[in-house]
Structures are given as C-alpha cells and as structure tokens.
C-alpha cells in the first residue's frame, strides 16, 4: 500500500502498459485483430436444447441437449462477415440505427459485431420492455430495423409497428411468416453469404472512424422516460483499454493475481442490452481473445456455471446476495451445518479484516476452507479467479465474506455515460466497501458544494463525482438541453453520485444525489449504505429506506419467507399460509425487528430505522419496481406500497 501522496508502482505500470490488445480503433477492427491473434481458440460456448436456432447446423453446429458446444474465433468471424453482408443487402449503411431485442445469447454477440461492421448504430431493447416501451426504444432513435429473439418478442414489435418506421425485422429463432420484410437470422446469413466479398467488407470498416457513433444505450429510467446515451467507437474502445490495462497479464503482477488473457473463460448472463455486460463481458472479452459461455437463464445459473467452469464473469450485487442466500439455505438443512456455516462466515470476515492473522485464526481458516469454502468454489465451477461486481452498491460485509472464502469479488463503478467503467478495485489491493481507484486515463474530482459536509462522518471531502476521459459520452440523443446540464462549464461530466475519495484515490459510494433523503429536520441521509447493511441478513430479502421530508428514517422490507418458515418450524410456530397474512403477524415483526436492531447498532442516531413495514411480494423488473439492471425504482415502490407508508407516517 502506498503512503499518502505517492502513486503505487502498479498504477504506474498499468498506465504505461501496452500490448496488441491496447489500441485505438473501431469495435469491428478490435474484433478482426483479435480473430487474427486467436483464430483457433474457442470464442463462444453455447448450450443445446434451449433455442430453435435459425442459423443452420453447418453454420452453428448443434450442441447436445443440456450440454455446451463451441465455435472458434475464425468460425465466429465467418458468421459475422456473412451477417454483416446480409445487413448491407437489407439497406444498412453508415449510421443506420438497428435495434437488438433479445436475451443474452451467442446470436446477440454475432448480430452486434455484424451490425457494427456493416456501419450501423446499434440501439438496445430490454426483453422486459412492454410493447409501449419497445415502441419508444425503437422510435426515439429512428431505428430502420430490429433483430428480435423469437416469435414472442416479434409479436411485441408488431403490436406497435404502425408507430415505427422499420424496413426489416430479423428473428434469431425459427419463425414462420408470410411477410417479405421479416427474415430469420439464418436467412440473413444466407443472403450475406451469397454476396460476401472480403475487399468490400474491409472497405466498410475503413469507412468508420473511432469518433463515429457506435451505439445508443437507453438509461434504465429509474425516473422519467429513458434517455439515449450516445457512445462512440472511441468511447467503447478506450474503455476496453482502460479495463484491460488493470487486469492484463502485466510483468509487474505477482504470481497468483488474476488476469485476463486468451486462456480466460468468462460466463455471460447479465443483459447485453445493458452497457455493463456489453463492455465487460463482450467487447473486453472478445478483444482479449477469451472464451465466452452463455447461461441459459438466470434460473439455470447454478447448473450452467458448473458446466462452463468459468474463470471470471460480471454480475450485479443482487446476484451475489442470492449466491450467499443459497449457501445459507443449503446449510440450514440441519442445525449443525448451519452453525458451521455461520461460524465460517465470521472467520472469513475476520480473515479479511486482519492484516496479520495469528496461529489461531489461521487454524480456523484452514478448517473453514475444508468444511465450507472449497465447496462454495466448487459449486461455482471450481475455476473462479475473480468476479466483477457493478451496476449497484455491493455490501462491504458481503465482499469481505467472499474475499475471506478465497473468492475474489472486485467491485467497480461506472455509468452508461462512461461506457461504463470509471473505477474498479485492483486485484493487487482489493478493498471491500470501496469502488476501487479510477482506471487509467480517467480523471475524477469531487464537487463538495452540492452537499452539507457535516452530514457525513468523515474528515475527507464528500460530494458529487465529476469525471473526464476518452470513454465519456458526448451526450444524449436529440436532447441538447439535458446534455448541457450533464456537463460542467469546463467539460466535466456530472455523475449525480455522492462519492468520497480517499488519499489513495479509492472511491467510496454514498448514494445518488437525487436519492439522498432529506429529513424534515434538514439532515441528509444516504439510503444505500443502510440498505446494503441488510444484504447478508437471513431475515430480509429486500430493503428500501424511506423518510424524505419526514421526521425520521423508516423502511419497507420484503421478508425472507423461506428462512422465516424454517425459523417458525424450529420454534413450533404455526404461521399463516398467505404472505400477506405473514406480513401482519406480530411474531414475524419481532423476528424482523431483531435484524433491524442489529443494523441500527452501527448507524448514527439520525440514520437509525425507527419504524418499518413488511410487504408481501418481491420487487422485480417485470412489475416495474426494479430496472432491468436490478436497481430499485424508488418512486414506483413508494407508489405501490403507499398504504404501508401511510401506516408508518400517519397518512399524507
């Protein structure tokens, strides 16, 4: 660790590092260069028995049902080239907007690289989007075409087709239609294969400049209508460089530190429609020459991860919380297992917090390794070097727990507008509870004028994070006024996030500026750290802190019903059958209150939760209470459970 005011040697090394992956080019050129280096390596791993793929078996060999097959980089390039030629035959050219409306799968990646190579600007649509949202996400950018996953999503597009100006629709899976403007991806491939010419393809790439627009990614829209963030090829390409330099197999790295290389296997399951997976699990991985394995669904993650056996992957905090909850649930099958598990969790946290563990702690850690930690890693495929957490705040305690179990989770931070990575914890110095340090070529500073410093229990400056760098978006699509507001007069992008920066440049997240709770007493309270404190609780599945313009802080909780019923069985308590009745049960409220009391012990007086209400259903993206990237839509949750808030605060 460097002394205050000095720059660690590893930061100097990453800043100066270069190899063939580090370059200034467009995304299609990034892909082509990677294929040249890694032609015979595995590019994509895909599962059989899921999709009725329209790409013929001589293009994408069929995988055995329930098992994974693969294609090489050279095979992937042939498919991309033919699809790109097919797009050009359908009228795609420089700056044509083409939407992709599908779940994360190999065809998403193929369509993306092909459309970009053809000159298109790719705009993305979440699979959870309603017909009305689909219309907006295709109409606002003026999309001329869209690639959809299957007949169900095609139907959603056709519902609003009259409000769009589409020249063509492509369907990834087999789909019967009598319309001549709807093609399967297999048909698009065959159209392109008939006319493909290498020199012509190369001319399309030469037409593109790093400054050209590559994609429009619409913000999740926790409030208001989503905005289309303009991201250029330079934005993405520079962020690939920035992330890779931190994780590259640099000569200064000590043995055992995780790196990214062509030997890496990554697992992909977050939405590719979101910038986090698009950059970290897609552009970075294919740029490096890694193998990318696609999960069938979120429900099959546990099984698929054992089949893919990845070295790395990216996820959001909610998934890591679910992994931890699953471990705890498995341990709770017997009283002895549960006691061993909880003991080993305490050992893991103590191990992470201790700079020099003594003989006793080393012995406890070895025992925990044999009884718990090794099984956890085996359940995750047995090869995990590290995982990346982003798209939200990861609980410090959860990060410490996994780190102490020798499962390295490096938390990072970014926004759609920064393509997205601003900072990430370095493998050399992972610090739970922080967002790491800014990646190379990323300038940051803190605007302390937007908050009252006395509201934060720290001697360091706290304020809105401002950033500047080659990965920062030029602005929003057709929203000049909002673009102007997003930047300071001297060109810094205003992130809207309240951040604390340490003397060693590590960033600590407090909350969104707009989501800071301002009590009627004038005190500011950041809800996110309080909510994070419940992430390892076995009693609370989801938490949202409230209190804006009120006298005190309160919370809405979704109880962990499975753990609740196990507790009730052990205690001989007969609980109601319905979740609604469970949430009204005084015994359940006492059980939850114990978890609240534990969290309150570590909070300041103003931050402590003085009251709470239980809600009977989990918040999901499907019911519009979470964004597709699993951030809380706080306004929607407040509206959905307004009656519970009235109970807490005595009505409007």
């Amino acid at each position: 660790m460097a002394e205050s005011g000095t720059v660690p040697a590893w930061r100097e090394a990453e800043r100066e590092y270069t190899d063939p992956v580090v370059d200034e080019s467009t995304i299609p050129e990034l892909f082509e260069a990677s294929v040249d280096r890694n032609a015979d390596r595995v590019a994509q791993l895909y599962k059989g028995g899921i999709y009725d793929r329209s790409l013929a078996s001589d293009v994408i060999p069929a995988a055995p049902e329930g098992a994974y097959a693969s294609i090489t980089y050279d095979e992937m390039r042939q498919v991309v080239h033919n699809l790109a030629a097919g797009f050009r035959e359908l009228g795609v050219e420089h700056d044509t907007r083409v939407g992709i409306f599908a779940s994360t799968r190999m065809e998403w990646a193929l369509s993306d690289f092909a459309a970009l190579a053809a000159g298109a600007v790719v705009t993305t649509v979440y699979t959870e989007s309603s017909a009305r949202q689909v219309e907006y996400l295709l109409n606002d950018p003026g999309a001329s075409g869209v690639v959809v996953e299957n007949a169900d999503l095609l139907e959603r597009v056709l519902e609003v087709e009259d409000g769009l100006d589409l020249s063509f629709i492509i369907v990834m899976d087999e789909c019967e239609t009598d319309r001549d403007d709807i093609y399967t991806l297999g048909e698009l491939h065959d159209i392109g294969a008939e006319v493909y010419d290498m020199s012509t393809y190369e001319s399309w790439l030469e037409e593109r400049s790093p400054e050209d627009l590559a994609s429009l990614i619409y913000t999740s829209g926790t409030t208001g209508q989503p905005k289309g963030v303009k991201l250029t090829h330079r934005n993405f390409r520079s962020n690939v460089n920035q992330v890779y330099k931190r994780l590259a197999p640099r000569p200064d790295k000590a043995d055992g530190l995780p790196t990214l290389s062509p030997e890496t296997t990554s697992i992909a399951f977050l939405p590719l429609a979101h910038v986090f997976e698009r950059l970290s699990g897609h552009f970075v991985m294919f740029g490096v020459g890694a193998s990318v394995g696609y999960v069938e669904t979120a429900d099959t993650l546990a099984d698929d991860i054992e089949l893919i056996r990845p070295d790395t992957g990216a996820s959001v905090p909610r998934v890591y919380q679910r992994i931890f909850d699953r471990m705890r649930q498995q341990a709770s099958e017997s009283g002895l297992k549960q006691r061993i598990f909880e003991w080993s969790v305490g050992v893991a946290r103590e191990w992470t917090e201790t700079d020099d563990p003594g003989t006793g702690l080393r012995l406890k850690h070895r025992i925990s390794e044999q009884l718990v930690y090794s099984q956890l890693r085996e359940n995750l495929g047995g090869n995990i070097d590290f995982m990346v957490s982003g798209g939200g705040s990861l609980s410090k305690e959860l990060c410490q727990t996994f780190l102490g179990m020798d499962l390295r989770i490096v938390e990072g931070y970014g926004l759609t507008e920064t393509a997205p990575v601003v900072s990430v914890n370095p493998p050399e110095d992972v610090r739970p509870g922080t967002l790491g340090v800014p990646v190379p070529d990323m300038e940051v500073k803190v605007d302390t004028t937007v908050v009252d410093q006395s509201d934060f229990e720290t001697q360091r400056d706290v304020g809105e994070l401002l950033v500047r760098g080659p990965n920062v978006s030029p602005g929003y699509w057709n929203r000049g006024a909002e673009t102007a507001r997003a930047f300071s007069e001297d060109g810094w992008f205003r992130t809207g996030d309240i951040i604390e920066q340490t003397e060693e440049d590590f960033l600590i997240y407090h909350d969104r500026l707009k989501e800071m709770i301002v009590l009627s007493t004038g005190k500011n309270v950041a809800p996110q750290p309080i909510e994070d404190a419940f992430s390892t609780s076995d009693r609370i599945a989801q938490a949202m802190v409230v209190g804006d313009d009120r006298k005190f802080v309160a919370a809405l909780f979704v109880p962990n019903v499975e753990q609740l019923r196990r507790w009730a069985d052990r205690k001989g308590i007969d609980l109601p059958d319905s979740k609604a009745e469970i949430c009204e049960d005084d015994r359940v409220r006492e059980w939850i209150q114990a978890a609240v009391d534990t969290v309150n012990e570590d909070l300041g007086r103003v931050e402590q939760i003085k009251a709470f209400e239980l809600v009977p259903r989990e918040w999901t993206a499907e019911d519009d209470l979470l964004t597709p990237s699993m951030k809380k839509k706080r306004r929607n949750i407040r509206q959905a459970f307004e009656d519970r808030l009235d109970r807490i605060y005595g009505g409007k």
Side-chain angles (χ1 to χ4, degrees), residues 1 122 145 167 178 185 201 204 210 212 239-240 248 290 363 498 511 514 516 557 562 568 616:
M1 185 181 299
V122 173
S167 299
D178 56 2
L185 197 64
Y201 178 87
W204 301 335
D212 287 341
N239 208 223
V240 170
L363 176 61
I498 302 301
D511 222 307
K514 292 181 179 179
M516 288 287 288
F557 294 131
E562 290 185 16

Side-chain angles (χ1 to χ4, degrees), residues 427-447:
E428 292 87 344
D429 189 8
V430 177
R431 301 194 190 183
T434 78
L435 306 171
V437 297
V439 292
D441 300 320
M442 186 85 255
E443 298 179 81
V444 303
K445 68 178 181 178
V446 174
D447 180 0

Side-chain angles (χ1 to χ4, degrees), residues 52-56 149-151 171-176 184:
D52 189 13
R53 304 180 194 274
S54 65
L55 285 170
E149 181 169 14
N150 51 35
V171 188
M172 292 179 179
D173 288 342
E174 289 290 356
C175 180
E176 293 185 6
T184 66

Side-chain angles (χ1 to χ4, degrees), residues 25-63:
S25 63
T26 64
I27 292 300
E29 289 170 333
L30 163 80
F31 176 71
E32 292 295 325
S34 183
V35 177
D36 288 342
R37 296 191 306 270
N38 304 290
D40 296 328
R41 291 187 177 276
V42 171
Q44 294 183 301
L45 296 156
Y46 54 98
K47 196 175 182 182
I50 313 169
Y51 307 115
D52 189 13
R53 304 180 194 274
S54 65
L55 285 170
S57 58
D58 59 340
V59 177
I60 301 295

Side-chain angles (χ1 to χ4, degrees), residues 55 153 162 169 190 199 220 226 242 289 294 312 343 366 369 414 430 460 490 541 548 559 568 592-593 649:
L55 285 170
L153 298 190
D162 290 345
I169 301 174
D190 293 344
S199 61
S220 299
Q242 292 166 315
Y294 298 91
T312 188
W343 176 76
R366 282 199 298 272
E369 165 66 24
V430 177
R460 295 188 285 258
D490 51 351
D548 205 42
I592 296 291
Q593 184 65 57
Y649 293 113

Side-chain angles (χ1 to χ4, degrees), residues 218-335:
Y218 282 75
T219 57
S220 299
T222 54
T223 60
Q225 197 74 280
K227 300 188 293 289
V229 178
K230 298 192 292 186
L231 292 169
T232 66
H233 287 269
R234 184 182 299 282
N235 292 151
F236 283 129
R237 189 64 180 89
S238 62
N239 208 223
V240 170
N241 291 344
Q242 292 166 315
V243 171
Y244 177 66
K245 284 186 174 186
R246 180 140 303 172
L247 299 170
R250 304 190 314 263
D252 64 289
K253 283 187 177 284
D255 292 341
L257 282 179
T259 60
L260 289 180
S261 74
E263 286 75 34
T264 297
T265 297
S266 174
I267 190 166
F269 56 91
L270 293 181
L272 275 167
H274 190 270
V275 71
F276 181 31
E277 182 68 23
R278 183 99 169 280
L279 189 285
S280 63
H282 180 60
F283 292 146
V284 168
M285 294 303 165
F286 289 117
V288 168
S291 304
V292 179
Y294 298 91
V295 169
E296 177 182 345
T297 68
D299 293 336
T300 64
L301 174 60
D303 295 329
D304 292 347
I305 201 169
E306 292 189 51
L307 293 171
I308 295 171
R309 299 182 66 82
D311 304 298
T312 188
S315 189
V316 292
R318 181 68 178 146
V319 172
Y320 296 118
Q321 291 165 14
R322 285 175 174 167
I323 291 172
F324 182 80
D325 289 344
R326 188 165 180 262
M327 293 160 46
R328 176 174 264 153
Q329 288 170 9
Q330 291 173 339
S332 66
E333 293 172 359
S334 77

Side-chain angles (χ1 to χ4, degrees), residues 100-114:
I100 301 183
F101 182 25
S103 55
T104 296
R105 51 188 283 187
M106 69 181 307
E107 288 92 343
W108 208 114
L110 296 170
S111 300
D112 188 30
F113 281 118

